[in-house]
Amino acid sequence: DLHLSIRRQRQMCIRDSARRGSIYYKLGDVQRATINWNLALRLDPEYTDVRNILKALSENKMKSANY
């Protein structure tokens, strides 16, 4: 079914973007990690795990800026 195929492709794209974000983060490239996580979140605004990662990253940046 075409609709099922499109849905699966979208889910794979979301998952792959989130996974790339995590890989870039582990490699120390926070900018590319953030770009990929935001892409995943744009494709799936309900992606709680990615939303929480971005929130924690933002909170850590604000804490660092206050020191």
Side-chain angles (χ1 to χ4, degrees):
D1 181 43
L2 178 61
H3 295 290
L4 181 60
S5 179
I6 291 170
R7 190 174 326 133
R8 285 183 181 159
Q9 182 68 27
R10 181 179 169 92
Q11 290 170 342
M12 285 176 36
C13 186
I14 294 166
R15 186 192 67 224
D16 291 347
S17 294
R19 189 172 290 152
R20 270 193 310 274
S22 297
I23 291 168
Y24 280 125
Y25 185 79
K26 288 179 183 179
L27 292 173
D29 193 338
V30 177
Q31 182 178 7
R32 285 188 182 183
T34 303
I35 290 168
N36 280 278
W37 286 327
N38 277 307
L39 176 60
L41 196 59
R42 193 172 334 143
L43 294 170
D44 182 3
E46 302 299 320
Y47 201 151
T48 306
D49 291 341
V50 170
R51 184 177 302 284
N52 291 339
I53 289 169
L54 289 168
K55 182 180 176 184
L57 189 60
S58 176
E59 289 172 356
N60 284 337
K61 284 183 181 179
M62 287 191 293
K63 286 179 187 176
S64 297
N66 289 331
Y67 287 109

